[in-house]
Amino acid sequence: MCQTLKPSIKSVSAILAIATIVASVLVAYDANGSLFSTVKVAALRDYGGTTFADIKNLELWRLITAQLVHVKQGHMLYNAVCLLLVGSLVESKIGPARTFVIWLVAGGLATYVSPIGIEAPWNVGTGASQAVFALAAVALVLICHREVNRMLGGVLVALALIPGLALDFMTAGYPKPGHAVALCLGGLFGLLFHQRARAQDRSPTIGKA
């Protein structure tokens, strides 16, 4: 079945994308006096970025705020667009609540581990790319199970993953920890939610037997 993608400002994906843009440009303005300026990664800890020490101190709110702030605003806008498009595709099949859980849990945990191997003071987890990777992994599960249009899904997944992975391999030679963890967690969430949806679809038939 052909599926069209119609993001709505009432969707959780749209809300998260808008929140990302607003938070990131306001932080840039507060830090540098310009809405679209580059913010030093070390400075983002003061604006909600996360480190291992912060979570150890139970500052769990940083798992949310860290996903909203970015070093470069161009990268932020790309992430926000991917979050809107891929998130809307996923949301159309699994619903807004589950989409938010993926953003919160998979995106938050992947952002938390993203500074692995980075020395202080640059070891600050930030950005929406981890959540984008997690949602792209969910979309891949949906594509494999023919739950969404394969052409549309494939284009959106490629849009979300290829630039980030290419940059990872150019700079590090392998997928960075945050991206790798996001893909794994997103895949697990995708399988879990897909199986639950199938079980719910079968339950009325079982009850009538």
Side-chain angles (χ1 to χ4, degrees), residues 77-155:
L77 289 174
Y78 187 84
N79 281 341
V81 170
C82 291
L83 187 61
L84 173 63
L85 296 178
V86 180
S88 295
L89 181 69
V90 170
E91 187 175 349
S92 70
K93 299 307 298 184
I94 69 172
R98 290 172 176 174
T99 302
F100 179 75
V101 168
I102 293 167
W103 178 87
L104 177 64
V105 178
L109 291 177
T111 302
Y112 167 64
V113 304
S114 62
I116 287 178
I118 300 176
E119 297 182 356
W122 302 282
N123 59 334
V124 182
T126 62
S129 61
Q130 287 74 220
V132 169
F133 267 59
L135 289 167
V138 178
L140 279 173
V141 173
L142 297 175
I143 291 170
C144 290
H145 288 90
R146 299 181 181 273
E147 295 289 338
V148 297
N149 180 274
R150 288 192 167 189
M151 180 64 72
L152 175 62
V155 169

Side-chain angles (χ1 to χ4, degrees), residues 30-45:
D30 188 71
N32 300 318
S34 174
L35 291 175
F36 291 96
S37 60
T38 297
V39 183
K40 293 181 179 180
V41 66
L44 287 177
R45 186 179 183 186

Side-chain angles (χ1 to χ4, degrees), residues 1-2 7 16 25 27 29 51 53 59 62 68 85 93 97 99 101 108 125 134 142 153-154 162 168 174 197:
M1 179 182 296
C2 183
L16 291 172
V25 298
V27 165
Y29 184 81
T51 67
E59 297 180 25
R62 289 180 181 269
L68 301 176
L85 296 178
K93 299 307 298 184
T99 302
V101 168
L142 297 175
I162 290 177
D168 285 354
Y174 52 84

